[in-house]
Coordinates of all heavy atoms in Angstrom, one line a residue:
M1 N 0.0 -1.5 4.5 CA 1.0 -0.6 5.0 C 2.0 -0.5 3.9 O 2.5 -1.3 3.3 CB 1.6 -1.3 6.1 CG 3.0 -0.6 6.7 SD 3.4 -1.6 8.2 CE 5.0 -0.7 8.3
I2 N 2.4 0.8 3.5 CA 3.4 1.0 2.6 C 4.7 1.1 3.3 O 4.9 1.7 4.3 CB 3.2 2.4 1.8 CG1 1.9 2.4 1.1 CG2 4.4 2.8 1.0 CD1 1.5 3.7 0.5
M3 N 5.7 0.3 2.7 CA 7.1 0.2 3.2 C 8.1 0.6 1.9 O 7.6 0.5 0.8 CB 7.4 -1.2 3.7 CG 6.9 -1.5 5.1 SD 7.6 -2.8 5.7 CE 7.4 -4.1 4.5
F4 N 9.2 0.7 2.3 CA 10.2 1.0 1.4 C 11.5 0.1 1.8 O 11.6 -0.3 2.9 CB 10.8 2.5 1.4 CG 9.6 3.4 0.7 CD1 8.5 3.9 1.5 CD2 9.6 3.7 -0.6 CE1 7.4 4.6 1.1 CE2 8.5 4.5 -1.2 CZ 7.6 5.0 -0.3
A5 N 12.3 -0.1 0.7 CA 13.4 -1.0 0.9 C 14.7 -0.4 0.3 O 14.6 0.3 -0.8 CB 13.1 -2.4 0.4
R6 N 15.9 -0.7 0.9 CA 17.1 -0.3 0.3 C 17.8 -1.7 0.2 O 17.9 -2.5 1.1 CB 17.9 0.5 1.2 CG 19.3 1.0 0.6 CD 20.0 1.9 1.5 NE 19.5 3.2 1.6 CZ 18.8 3.7 2.6 NH1 19.1 3.2 3.9 NH2 18.4 4.9 2.5
V7 N 18.2 -1.9 -1.1 CA 18.9 -3.3 -1.5 C 20.3 -2.9 -1.7 O 20.6 -2.2 -2.9 CB 18.2 -4.0 -2.6 CG1 18.9 -5.3 -2.8 CG2 16.7 -4.3 -2.1
S8 N 21.3 -3.5 -1.1 CA 22.7 -3.2 -1.4 C 23.2 -4.6 -1.8 O 23.0 -5.7 -1.2 CB 23.4 -2.9 -0.1 OG 22.9 -1.7 0.4
T9 N 24.1 -4.4 -2.9 CA 24.6 -5.8 -3.4 C 26.2 -5.7 -3.2 O 26.9 -4.8 -3.4 CB 24.4 -5.9 -4.9 OG1 23.0 -5.8 -5.1 CG2 24.9 -7.3 -5.5
Y10 N 26.7 -6.9 -2.8 CA 28.0 -6.9 -2.3 C 28.7 -8.2 -3.0 O 28.0 -9.2 -3.4 CB 28.3 -7.2 -1.0 CG 27.7 -6.2 0.0 CD1 26.3 -6.4 0.4 CD2 28.2 -5.0 0.4 CE1 25.7 -5.4 1.1 CE2 27.7 -4.1 1.2 CZ 26.3 -4.3 1.6 OH 25.7 -3.4 2.4
R11 N 30.1 -8.1 -3.2 CA 30.9 -9.4 -3.6 C 31.8 -9.6 -2.5 O 32.9 -8.8 -2.3 CB 31.5 -9.2 -4.8 CG 32.3 -10.4 -5.2 CD 32.8 -10.6 -6.7 NE 32.0 -10.0 -7.7 CZ 30.8 -10.7 -8.1 NH1 30.5 -11.9 -7.6 NH2 30.1 -10.2 -9.1
P12 N 31.8 -10.6 -1.6 CA 32.6 -10.9 -0.6 C 33.9 -11.4 -1.2 O 34.0 -12.0 -2.1 CB 31.9 -12.0 0.2 CG 30.4 -12.0 -0.3 CD 30.4 -11.5 -1.5
G13 N 35.0 -10.9 -0.5 CA 36.4 -11.2 -0.8 C 36.7 -12.5 -0.3 O 36.0 -13.2 0.5
P14 N 38.0 -13.1 -0.8 CA 38.4 -14.4 -0.1 C 38.4 -14.4 1.3 O 38.8 -13.5 2.0 CB 39.7 -14.5 -0.9 CG 39.7 -13.7 -2.0 CD 38.9 -12.5 -1.7
G15 N 37.8 -15.4 1.9 CA 37.8 -15.6 3.4 C 36.7 -14.8 4.0 O 36.6 -15.0 5.3
S16 N 35.8 -14.1 3.2 CA 34.7 -13.4 3.9 C 33.4 -14.2 3.8 O 33.1 -14.8 2.8 CB 34.5 -12.1 3.2 OG 33.3 -11.5 3.7
S17 N 32.7 -14.4 4.8 CA 31.5 -15.1 4.9 C 30.3 -14.3 4.1 O 29.3 -14.8 3.9 CB 31.1 -15.5 6.3 OG 30.7 -14.3 7.0
G18 N 30.5 -13.0 4.1 CA 29.4 -12.1 3.7 C 28.4 -11.8 4.7 O 27.4 -11.1 4.6
A19 N 28.5 -12.4 6.0 CA 27.7 -12.3 7.0 C 28.0 -11.0 7.8 O 29.2 -10.7 8.1 CB 27.7 -13.5 8.0
P20 N 26.9 -10.3 8.3 CA 27.2 -9.1 9.0 C 27.6 -9.4 10.5 O 27.1 -10.6 11.0 CB 25.9 -8.4 9.1 CG 24.9 -9.5 9.0 CD 25.6 -10.4 8.0
S21 N 28.2 -8.5 11.2 CA 28.5 -8.7 12.6 C 27.1 -8.3 13.4 O 26.3 -7.6 12.9 CB 29.6 -7.7 13.1 OG 29.2 -6.4 13.0
D22 N 27.0 -8.7 14.6 CA 25.9 -8.4 15.5 C 25.9 -6.9 15.6 O 24.8 -6.3 15.6 CB 26.1 -9.0 16.8 CG 25.7 -10.6 16.8 OD1 25.2 -11.0 15.6 OD2 26.1 -11.2 17.7
E23 N 27.1 -6.3 15.7 CA 27.1 -4.8 15.8 C 26.5 -4.2 14.6 O 25.8 -3.2 14.7 CB 28.5 -4.3 16.1 CG 28.9 -2.9 16.2 CD 28.1 -2.2 17.3 OE1 27.8 -2.9 18.3 OE2 28.2 -0.9 17.1
T24 N 26.8 -4.6 13.4 CA 26.4 -4.0 12.2 C 24.8 -4.0 12.2 O 24.1 -3.0 12.0 CB 26.9 -4.6 11.0 OG1 28.2 -4.4 10.9 CG2 26.2 -4.2 9.7
V25 N 24.3 -5.2 12.4 CA 22.7 -5.4 12.5 C 22.3 -4.5 13.6 O 21.2 -3.7 13.3 CB 22.6 -6.9 12.8 CG1 20.9 -7.0 13.0 CG2 22.9 -7.8 11.6
R26 N 22.8 -4.3 14.7 CA 22.3 -3.4 15.9 C 22.4 -2.1 15.3 O 21.3 -1.4 15.6 CB 23.1 -3.6 17.1 CG 22.5 -2.8 18.3 CD 23.7 -2.8 19.4 NE 24.8 -1.9 19.1 CZ 24.9 -0.7 18.8 NH1 23.8 0.1 19.0 NH2 26.0 -0.1 18.6
R27 N 23.4 -1.5 14.7 CA 23.4 -0.2 14.2 C 22.4 0.1 13.1 O 21.7 1.2 13.2 CB 24.8 0.1 13.7 CG 25.8 0.2 14.6 CD 27.3 0.3 14.1 NE 27.4 1.6 13.3 CZ 28.4 1.9 12.6 NH1 29.3 1.0 12.2 NH2 28.4 3.1 12.0
V28 N 22.2 -0.8 12.2 CA 21.1 -0.6 11.2 C 19.8 -0.5 11.8 O 19.0 0.3 11.5 CB 21.3 -1.8 10.1 CG1 20.0 -1.6 9.1 CG2 22.6 -1.6 9.4
L29 N 19.4 -1.6 12.7 CA 18.1 -1.5 13.3 C 17.9 -0.3 14.2 O 16.7 0.0 14.4 CB 17.9 -2.9 14.1 CG 17.8 -4.1 13.3 CD1 17.7 -5.4 14.1 CD2 16.7 -4.1 12.2
G30 N 19.0 0.3 14.6 CA 18.8 1.4 15.5 C 18.6 2.8 14.7 O 18.2 3.8 15.3
L31 N 18.7 2.7 13.4 CA 18.4 3.8 12.6 C 16.9 4.1 12.7 O 16.1 3.2 12.5 CB 18.8 3.7 11.2 CG 20.4 3.5 10.9 CD1 20.7 3.2 9.4 CD2 21.0 4.8 11.2
P32 N 16.4 5.4 12.8 CA 15.1 5.8 12.9 C 14.2 5.3 11.7 O 14.6 5.6 10.5 CB 15.1 7.3 12.9 CG 16.5 7.6 13.5 CD 17.4 6.6 13.0
G33 N 13.3 4.7 11.9 CA 12.2 4.1 10.9 C 12.6 2.8 10.3 O 12.0 2.3 9.5
C34 N 13.8 2.2 10.7 CA 14.0 0.9 10.2 C 13.2 -0.2 10.9 O 13.2 -0.3 12.0 CB 15.6 0.7 10.4 SG 16.2 -1.0 9.6
L35 N 12.7 -0.9 9.8 CA 11.6 -2.1 10.4 C 12.4 -3.3 10.5 O 11.8 -4.3 11.1 CB 10.5 -2.0 9.5 CG 9.6 -0.7 9.5 CD1 8.6 -0.9 8.5 CD2 9.1 -0.3 10.8
G36 N 13.3 -3.7 9.7 CA 13.9 -5.0 9.7 C 15.1 -5.0 8.7 O 15.4 -4.1 8.0
I37 N 15.9 -6.1 8.6 CA 17.0 -6.3 7.9 C 17.1 -7.7 7.5 O 16.9 -8.7 8.4 CB 18.3 -5.8 8.5 CG1 19.4 -5.9 7.7 CG2 18.5 -6.5 9.8 CD1 20.8 -5.1 8.2
Y38 N 17.4 -7.9 6.3 CA 17.8 -9.3 5.8 C 19.1 -9.3 5.0 O 19.4 -8.4 4.5 CB 16.8 -9.8 4.7 CG 15.4 -10.2 5.3 CD1 14.4 -9.1 5.3 CD2 15.0 -11.4 5.6 CE1 13.1 -9.5 5.7 CE2 13.7 -11.6 6.1 CZ 12.7 -10.5 6.1 OH 11.5 -10.8 6.5
Y39 N 19.9 -10.4 5.3 CA 21.2 -10.6 4.5 C 21.1 -11.9 3.8 O 20.7 -12.9 4.5 CB 22.3 -10.7 5.6 CG 22.9 -9.2 5.9 CD1 22.4 -8.5 6.8 CD2 24.1 -8.8 5.1 CE1 22.9 -7.3 7.2 CE2 24.6 -7.5 5.5 CZ 24.0 -6.8 6.4 OH 24.6 -5.5 6.8
L40 N 21.5 -11.8 2.6 CA 21.3 -13.1 1.8 C 22.7 -13.3 1.2 O 23.4 -12.4 0.8 CB 20.4 -12.9 0.7 CG 18.9 -12.6 1.2 CD1 18.6 -11.2 1.4 CD2 18.0 -13.2 0.1
L41 N 23.1 -14.5 1.0 CA 24.3 -14.9 0.3 C 24.0 -15.9 -0.8 O 23.3 -16.9 -0.6 CB 25.2 -15.7 1.3 CG 26.5 -16.2 0.6 CD1 27.4 -14.9 0.2 CD2 27.4 -17.0 1.7
G42 N 24.3 -15.5 -2.1 CA 24.0 -16.4 -3.2 C 25.1 -17.3 -3.5 O 26.3 -17.2 -3.0
K43 N 24.8 -18.2 -4.5 CA 25.8 -19.2 -4.9 C 26.9 -18.6 -5.9 O 27.9 -19.2 -6.1 CB 25.1 -20.3 -5.6 CG 24.2 -21.2 -4.5 CD 23.6 -22.3 -5.2 CE 22.7 -22.9 -4.2 NZ 22.8 -24.3 -4.0
D44 N 26.5 -17.5 -6.4 CA 27.6 -16.9 -7.3 C 28.4 -15.8 -6.6 O 28.9 -14.9 -7.3 CB 26.7 -16.2 -8.4 CG 25.7 -15.1 -8.0 OD1 25.5 -14.9 -6.7 OD2 25.2 -14.4 -8.7
N45 N 28.7 -16.1 -5.4 CA 29.6 -15.2 -4.6 C 29.1 -13.7 -4.5 O 29.9 -12.8 -4.6 CB 31.0 -15.3 -5.0 CG 32.0 -14.7 -4.0 OD1 31.8 -14.8 -2.7 ND2 33.1 -14.1 -4.4
K46 N 27.8 -13.6 -4.5 CA 27.2 -12.2 -4.4 C 26.4 -12.3 -3.0 O 25.8 -13.4 -2.7 CB 26.4 -11.8 -5.4 CG 27.2 -11.1 -6.5 CD 26.3 -10.3 -7.5 CE 25.7 -11.1 -8.5 NZ 25.0 -10.2 -9.5
S47 N 26.4 -11.1 -2.4 CA 25.5 -11.0 -1.1 C 24.7 -9.9 -1.2 O 25.0 -8.9 -1.9 CB 26.1 -11.2 0.2 OG 27.1 -10.1 0.3
L48 N 23.4 -9.9 -0.6 CA 22.6 -8.8 -0.5 C 22.2 -8.4 0.9 O 22.1 -9.3 1.7 CB 21.3 -9.1 -1.3 CG 21.3 -9.5 -2.8 CD1 19.9 -9.9 -3.3 CD2 21.8 -8.4 -3.7
S49 N 22.1 -7.1 1.1 CA 21.4 -6.8 2.3 C 20.0 -6.0 1.9 O 20.1 -5.2 1.0 CB 22.3 -5.8 3.2 OG 22.4 -4.7 2.6
I50 N 19.0 -6.3 2.6 CA 17.7 -5.7 2.3 C 17.3 -5.1 3.7 O 17.1 -5.8 4.6 CB 16.7 -6.7 1.9 CG1 17.2 -7.4 0.4 CG2 15.4 -6.0 1.6 CD1 16.4 -8.5 0.1
T51 N 17.1 -3.8 3.6 CA 16.6 -3.1 4.8 C 15.2 -2.5 4.5 O 15.0 -2.1 3.4 CB 17.5 -2.0 5.4 OG1 17.7 -1.1 4.1 CG2 18.9 -2.5 5.9
L52 N 14.3 -2.6 5.5 CA 13.0 -2.2 5.3 C 12.8 -0.9 6.2 O 13.1 -0.9 7.3 CB 12.0 -3.3 5.7 CG 12.2 -4.6 4.9 CD1 11.3 -5.8 5.4 CD2 11.8 -4.5 3.5
W53 N 12.0 -0.1 5.6 CA 11.7 1.2 6.2 C 10.1 1.6 6.2 O 9.4 1.3 5.2 CB 12.5 2.3 5.4 CG 14.1 1.9 5.3 CD1 14.6 1.2 4.4 CD2 14.9 2.3 6.3 NE1 16.0 1.0 4.7 CE2 16.1 1.7 5.9 CE3 14.9 3.1 7.5 CZ2 17.3 1.8 6.6 CZ3 16.0 3.2 8.2 CH2 17.2 2.5 7.7
G54 N 9.8 2.2 7.3 CA 8.5 2.6 7.5 C 7.7 3.5 6.6 O 6.6 3.5 6.3
D55 N 8.5 4.4 6.0 CA 8.1 5.4 4.9 C 9.3 6.0 4.2 O 10.4 5.7 4.5 CB 7.3 6.6 5.6 CG 8.0 7.3 6.9 OD1 9.2 7.5 6.7 OD2 7.4 7.5 7.8
E56 N 9.0 6.7 3.3 CA 10.0 7.2 2.3 C 10.9 8.3 3.0 O 12.1 8.3 2.7 CB 9.3 7.9 1.0 CG 10.2 8.0 -0.1 CD 9.5 8.4 -1.4 OE1 8.3 8.7 -1.3 OE2 10.3 8.4 -2.3
E57 N 10.4 9.0 4.0 CA 11.1 9.9 4.7 C 12.1 9.2 5.4 O 13.3 9.7 5.6 CB 10.1 10.8 5.6 CG 11.0 11.8 6.4 CD 9.9 12.7 7.2 OE1 9.0 13.2 6.7 OE2 10.0 12.6 8.3
A58 N 11.9 8.2 6.2 CA 12.7 7.3 7.0 C 13.8 6.7 6.0 O 15.0 6.9 6.3 CB 12.2 6.3 7.7
L59 N 13.5 6.3 4.8 CA 14.5 5.7 3.8 C 15.4 6.9 3.4 O 16.7 6.7 3.6 CB 13.7 5.2 2.8 CG 14.7 4.7 1.4 CD1 15.3 3.5 1.8 CD2 13.7 4.6 0.2
S60 N 14.9 8.0 3.1 CA 15.8 9.1 2.5 C 16.7 9.6 3.6 O 17.8 10.0 3.6 CB 15.2 10.1 1.9 OG 14.1 10.7 2.7
G61 N 16.0 9.8 4.9 CA 16.6 10.4 6.1 C 17.9 9.4 6.6 O 18.8 9.8 7.3
S62 N 17.9 8.2 6.2 CA 18.9 7.2 6.8 C 20.0 7.1 5.8 O 21.0 6.3 6.1 CB 18.2 5.8 6.9 OG 17.8 5.3 5.7
K63 N 19.9 7.7 4.6 CA 20.8 7.5 3.6 C 22.3 7.6 4.0 O 23.1 6.8 3.7 CB 20.6 8.3 2.3 CG 21.5 8.1 1.1 CD 21.1 8.8 -0.1 CE 22.0 8.7 -1.3 NZ 23.3 7.9 -1.1
Q64 N 22.6 8.8 4.6 CA 24.0 9.1 4.9 C 24.5 8.1 6.0 O 25.6 7.5 5.8 CB 24.1 10.7 5.4 CG 25.6 11.0 5.7 CD 26.4 10.9 4.4 OE1 26.2 11.4 3.4 NE2 27.5 10.2 4.5
Q65 N 23.7 7.9 7.1 CA 24.2 6.9 8.0 C 24.3 5.5 7.4 O 25.3 4.8 7.8 CB 23.3 7.0 9.2 CG 23.3 8.1 10.0 CD 22.4 8.2 11.2 OE1 21.1 8.2 10.9 NE2 22.7 8.0 12.4
A66 N 23.3 5.1 6.6 CA 23.4 3.8 6.0 C 24.6 3.7 5.1 O 25.3 2.6 5.1 CB 22.3 3.5 5.2
D67 N 25.1 4.7 4.4 CA 26.1 4.8 3.5 C 27.4 4.5 4.5 O 28.4 3.8 4.0 CB 26.3 6.1 2.8 CG 25.4 6.2 1.6 OD1 24.8 5.2 1.3 OD2 25.3 7.3 1.1
N68 N 27.5 5.3 5.6 CA 28.7 5.1 6.4 C 28.9 3.7 6.9 O 29.9 3.1 6.9 CB 28.6 6.1 7.6 CG 28.6 7.6 7.1 OD1 29.3 7.8 6.0 ND2 28.3 8.5 7.9
I69 N 27.8 3.2 7.4 CA 27.7 1.8 8.0 C 28.2 0.8 6.9 O 28.9 0.0 7.0 CB 26.3 1.4 8.5 CG1 26.0 2.3 9.8 CG2 26.2 0.0 9.0 CD1 24.6 2.2 10.2
R70 N 27.5 1.0 5.8 CA 27.8 0.1 4.6 C 29.4 0.2 4.2 O 30.1 -0.8 4.0 CB 27.0 0.5 3.3 CG 27.3 -0.5 2.2 CD 26.4 0.0 1.1 NE 25.0 0.3 1.3 CZ 24.6 1.4 1.5 NH1 25.2 2.5 1.3 NH2 23.2 1.7 1.9
A71 N 29.9 1.3 4.2 CA 31.4 1.5 4.0 C 32.2 0.9 4.9 O 33.3 0.1 4.6 CB 31.7 2.9 3.6
E72 N 31.9 1.1 6.1 CA 32.7 0.6 7.4 C 32.6 -1.0 7.4 O 33.7 -1.6 7.5 CB 32.3 1.1 8.7 CG 32.5 2.6 8.7 CD 31.8 3.2 10.0 OE1 31.4 2.4 10.8 OE2 31.7 4.5 10.0
T73 N 31.5 -1.6 7.2 CA 31.3 -2.9 7.3 C 31.9 -3.6 6.2 O 32.4 -4.7 6.3 CB 29.7 -3.3 7.2 OG1 29.1 -2.6 8.4 CG2 29.5 -4.8 7.3
S74 N 31.8 -3.0 4.9 CA 32.4 -3.7 3.6 C 33.9 -3.8 3.8 O 34.6 -4.6 3.4 CB 32.1 -2.8 2.5 OG 30.8 -2.9 2.2
A75 N 34.5 -2.7 4.4 CA 35.9 -2.7 4.7 C 36.4 -3.7 5.7 O 37.3 -4.5 5.4 CB 36.4 -1.3 5.0
E76 N 35.5 -3.7 6.8 CA 35.9 -4.8 7.8 C 35.6 -6.4 7.3 O 36.5 -7.2 7.7 CB 35.0 -4.7 9.0 CG 35.2 -3.4 9.9 CD 34.2 -3.1 10.8 OE1 33.2 -3.9 11.0 OE2 34.1 -2.0 11.5
Q77 N 34.7 -6.5 6.5 CA 34.3 -7.7 5.9 C 35.0 -8.1 4.6 O 34.8 -9.3 4.1 CB 32.9 -7.9 5.9 CG 32.1 -7.8 7.1 CD 32.2 -9.0 8.0 OE1 32.4 -10.1 7.5 NE2 32.0 -8.9 9.2
H78 N 35.8 -7.2 4.1 CA 36.4 -7.4 2.9 C 35.5 -7.8 1.8 O 35.6 -8.7 1.0 CB 37.5 -8.7 2.9 CG 38.5 -8.3 4.0 ND1 39.6 -7.3 3.9 CD2 38.7 -8.9 5.3 CE1 40.2 -7.4 5.1 NE2 39.7 -8.3 5.9
M79 N 34.4 -6.8 1.6 CA 33.4 -7.0 0.6 C 33.6 -5.8 -0.3 O 33.5 -4.6 0.1 CB 32.1 -7.2 1.1 CG 31.9 -8.4 2.0 SD 30.2 -8.7 2.5 CE 29.7 -7.2 3.4
Q80 N 33.3 -5.9 -1.5 CA 33.3 -4.9 -2.5 C 31.7 -4.5 -2.7 O 30.8 -5.4 -2.8 CB 33.6 -5.4 -4.0 CG 33.6 -4.3 -5.0 CD 33.8 -5.0 -6.4 OE1 34.2 -6.1 -6.4 NE2 33.9 -4.2 -7.5
I81 N 31.4 -3.3 -2.6 CA 30.0 -2.8 -2.8 C 29.6 -2.7 -4.4 O 30.2 -1.9 -5.0 CB 29.8 -1.5 -2.1 CG1 30.0 -1.6 -0.6 CG2 28.3 -0.9 -2.4 CD1 30.2 -0.1 0.1
L82 N 28.8 -3.6 -4.9 CA 28.5 -3.4 -6.2 C 27.3 -2.5 -6.7 O 27.2 -2.1 -7.7 CB 28.1 -4.9 -6.7 CG 29.1 -6.0 -6.5 CD1 28.5 -7.4 -6.9 CD2 30.4 -5.7 -7.2
G83 N 26.4 -2.3 -5.6 CA 25.4 -1.3 -6.0 C 24.4 -1.1 -4.7 O 24.3 -2.0 -3.9
V84 N 23.6 -0.1 -4.8 CA 22.6 0.3 -3.8 C 21.5 0.8 -4.5 O 21.6 1.6 -5.4 CB 23.2 1.3 -2.7 CG1 22.1 1.6 -1.7 CG2 24.4 0.8 -2.1
E85 N 20.3 0.2 -4.2 CA 19.1 0.8 -5.0 C 18.0 0.8 -3.9 O 18.0 0.1 -2.9 CB 18.6 -0.3 -6.0 CG 19.6 -0.7 -7.2 CD 19.2 -1.6 -8.1 OE1 18.5 -1.2 -9.2 OE2 19.5 -2.8 -7.9
E86 N 17.0 1.7 -4.2 CA 15.9 1.8 -3.3 C 14.5 1.5 -4.0 O 14.4 1.7 -5.2 CB 15.9 3.3 -2.8 CG 17.1 3.5 -1.9 CD 17.1 5.1 -1.5 OE1 16.4 5.9 -1.8 OE2 18.1 5.3 -0.7
F87 N 13.7 0.8 -3.4 CA 12.4 0.4 -3.9 C 11.2 0.8 -2.9 O 11.4 0.9 -1.8 CB 12.5 -1.1 -4.0 CG 13.5 -1.6 -5.0 CD1 14.8 -1.9 -4.4 CD2 13.3 -1.8 -6.4 CE1 15.8 -2.3 -5.2 CE2 14.4 -2.3 -7.0 CZ 15.6 -2.6 -6.6
E88 N 10.1 0.8 -3.5 CA 8.7 0.8 -2.7 C 8.3 -0.7 -2.7 O 8.5 -1.3 -3.7 CB 7.7 1.6 -3.4 CG 6.5 1.6 -2.7 CD 5.3 2.4 -3.2 OE1 5.7 3.2 -4.1 OE2 4.1 2.3 -2.8
V89 N 8.0 -1.1 -1.5 CA 7.6 -2.6 -1.3 C 6.1 -2.6 -1.6 O 5.3 -1.9 -1.1 CB 7.9 -3.0 0.1 CG1 7.3 -4.5 0.3 CG2 9.2 -2.9 0.5
L90 N 5.8 -3.4 -2.8 CA 4.4 -3.4 -3.3 C 3.6 -4.5 -2.5 O 2.4 -4.5 -2.5 CB 4.4 -3.5 -4.8 CG 5.2 -2.5 -5.5 CD1 5.1 -2.8 -7.0 CD2 4.5 -1.2 -5.2
T91 N 4.4 -5.6 -2.1 CA 3.7 -6.7 -1.4 C 4.5 -7.1 -0.4 O 5.7 -7.2 -0.4 CB 3.4 -7.9 -2.4 OG1 2.7 -7.4 -3.6 CG2 2.6 -8.9 -1.8
Q92 N 3.8 -7.4 0.8 CA 4.5 -8.1 1.8 C 3.7 -9.1 2.4 O 2.5 -8.9 3.0 CB 4.9 -7.0 3.0 CG 3.7 -6.4 3.6 CD 4.1 -5.8 5.0 OE1 5.3 -5.7 5.3 NE2 3.1 -5.4 5.7
Q93 N 4.1 -10.3 2.5 CA 3.3 -11.4 3.0 C 4.3 -12.6 3.2 O 5.1 -12.9 2.5 CB 2.3 -11.9 1.8 CG 1.3 -12.9 2.3 CD 0.3 -12.3 3.2 OE1 -0.3 -11.3 3.0 NE2 -0.1 -13.0 4.3
L94 N 4.0 -13.1 4.4 CA 4.7 -14.3 4.8 C 3.7 -15.4 5.1 O 2.7 -15.1 5.6 CB 5.6 -14.1 6.1 CG 6.6 -13.1 6.0 CD1 7.3 -13.0 7.4 CD2 7.7 -13.8 5.0
A95 N 4.1 -16.7 4.8 CA 3.0 -17.8 5.0 C 3.0 -18.0 6.5 O 3.9 -17.7 7.3 CB 3.6 -19.1 4.5
D96 N 1.9 -18.4 7.0 CA 1.5 -18.7 8.4 C 2.3 -19.9 8.8 O 2.5 -20.8 8.3 CB 0.0 -18.9 8.6 CG -0.7 -17.6 8.3 OD1 -0.1 -16.5 8.5 OD2 -1.9 -17.5 7.9

């Protein structure tokens, strides 16, 4: 199965956990073609969100709504958006 991913990089501000709200997660998962979401917090005060998409059309079709959600969430969570990149997922495997 071919999937696509959008990876957004953030720098949480002072007092921000970098964690999304349940509402943010619900909004992202509600976008057509979204298959999942991961949020990661690194030790270097950077966080990542990784969203997975069923096809390239869903990825590109979600861009404007995702941009809006990202901007709103970043303002609420006091996070700086460092970058947004899109990828084709070449391998997907989880251990049993």
Side-chain angles (χ1 to χ4, degrees):
M1 171 180 167
I2 295 178
M3 285 193 307
F4 291 83
R6 180 176 294 120
V7 179
S8 302
T9 307
Y10 307 92
R11 182 164 319 283
S16 174
S17 69
S21 68
D22 290 343
E23 174 66 12
T24 296
V25 172
R26 186 193 63 72
R27 288 176 65 193
V28 172
L29 291 176
L31 295 173
C34 184
L35 301 176
I37 185 169
Y38 291 90
Y39 273 85
L40 298 87
L41 180 61
K43 294 182 186 230
D44 60 352
N45 196 36
K46 273 203 276 190
S47 62
L48 299 175
S49 68
I50 303 171
T51 53
L52 299 171
W53 303 88
D55 56 42
E56 197 166 12
E57 186 177 300
L59 175 69
S60 63
S62 67
K63 184 178 179 349
Q64 186 61 52
Q65 288 176 292
D67 287 349
N68 292 342
I69 294 168
R70 186 180 312 103
E72 293 167 15
T73 299
S74 296
E76 291 168 7
Q77 297 285 332
H78 306 288
M79 296 189 303
Q80 176 187 7
I81 301 168
L82 301 178
V84 179
E85 299 178 90
E86 295 179 349
F87 299 88
E88 181 177 347
V89 177
L90 299 179
T91 303
Q92 65 160 8
Q93 188 72 41
L94 296 174
D96 293 330

